[in-house]
Amino acid sequence: MQKVAIINPHLKHQLEHAEALEASGWRISHQARAKGDVILVSGPHFALQQQLGHPRLIMLDRAFWDDPAQVTAWHIDAKTGERRPPPARADRELWHPEPRPWKTREQSAVILCDYGMDPPAELISAAKARFHCVRIRKHPAEAPAGQVSLGATLAITDCAIGWKSSALVEAAIMGNPVVCGDPRNPAAPVSAGHLDATLYRGERRDWLEGLANTQVSIKEISRGLLSTLFAPIFRD
């Protein structure tokens, strides 16, 4: 079975992923439409759209706890495009941060923009109708000079609104109730689905354990852990 990892040659961190993947038997390609029995894409932007629908598609993405030595690993469902975590394994030691208590005020909100997208005017209007103060935070790759950190923004804001941004995960951990417009976002299980809904302030323990299970270290990748975690994909 041919395992092909598609890497953006212009991104340093993806080239580091490539070294670990190559050490564990993956063939490296820089072509977004490369073919293979199992396909791995590094990040959601370079080749994911071209590979959607492949029955054995794995994606690496940024780690949730901002650890440069780790990434998250997902199986991308061929029919829905949704991210599926690997099956839980009892022999892995998993860690996740302790969630902060949910904030109870609903006076302010921040809209966390996706890369390459501005929030539609109607969404801004709807947010302002519910919250007294609404901030807009650009994606870090498009942020203006002087934009404060995500943590600082969430610390002074009650709630967070977004779509695909993984920053919504950080918001939920920090205790900011979340409105998530994309059911495929990892934060969706602990979020309200639209601005008119009651904000979620329930349990987060199982959700965090599930996210922790997706995190793998670069060293684990070089030792072949992906083939073990996603064994059902390789057997099918």
Side-chain angles (χ1 to χ4, degrees):
M1 183 172 286
Q2 187 179 51
K3 303 182 299 181
V4 178
I6 303 174
I7 299 295
N8 186 336
H10 304 295
L11 295 179
K12 179 182 177 182
H13 70 281
Q14 290 203 19
L15 293 174
E16 292 172 353
H17 299 169
E19 291 182 10
L21 289 160
E22 197 167 27
S24 60
W26 290 79
R27 182 174 71 82
I28 306 302
S29 173
H30 302 310
Q31 303 299 318
R33 298 185 183 278
K35 297 184 182 300
D37 298 313
V38 182
I39 294 291
L40 180 145
V41 296
S42 185
H45 302 299
F46 180 59
L48 179 61
Q49 293 302 314
Q50 291 86 342
Q51 296 292 340
L52 284 176
H54 193 290
R56 301 186 186 94
L57 177 59
I58 297 170
M59 183 182 74
L60 302 184
D61 205 355
R62 65 184 291 272
F64 290 119
W65 333 131
D66 287 330
D67 183 347
Q70 291 193 324
V71 295
T72 54
W74 307 85
H75 172 221
I76 305 300
D77 188 276
K79 293 182 179 179
T80 66
E82 294 182 4
R83 301 182 183 203
R84 306 290 189 195
R89 291 176 56 88
D91 58 347
R92 293 189 71 210
E93 292 187 11
L94 304 177
W95 178 89
H96 60 74
E98 286 298 314
R100 297 182 185 179
W102 288 114
K103 295 181 179 182
T104 56
R105 286 199 338 157
E106 296 184 15
Q107 296 297 308
S108 62
V110 58
I111 298 175
L112 300 170
C113 297
D114 295 335
Y115 179 74
M117 295 181 65
D118 291 322
E122 57 268 25
L123 176 89
I124 298 174
S125 296
K128 288 182 176 179
R130 176 161 186 173
F131 301 101
H132 177 70
C133 174
V134 176
R135 300 177 177 86
I136 297 175
R137 188 175 193 277
K138 299 290 288 183
H139 187 278
E142 302 172 310
Q147 177 169 277
V148 300
S149 69
L150 175 63
T153 299
L154 294 172
I156 61 172
T157 307
D158 300 326
C159 306
I161 303 168
W163 297 267
K164 298 179 182 179
S165 174
S166 58
L168 295 177
V169 171
E170 180 68 15
I173 292 171
M174 289 189 66
N176 300 74
V178 171
V179 178
C180 177
D182 186 346
R184 295 173 295 184
N185 189 304
V190 293
S191 303
H194 52 84
L195 278 167
D196 295 330
T198 301
L199 297 179
Y200 178 89
R201 291 187 175 90
E203 178 57 48
R204 287 166 287 175
R205 179 73 54 185
D206 289 346
W207 170 70
L208 281 168
E209 289 179 357
L211 294 186
N213 185 55
T214 69
Q215 299 216 154
V216 296
S217 71
I218 303 302
K219 286 186 178 180
E220 287 177 319
I221 290 174
S222 68
R223 296 169 184 161
L225 181 64
L226 292 181
S227 297
T228 303
L229 288 180
F230 294 101
I233 297 176
F234 290 85
R235 285 198 300 264
D236 291 344

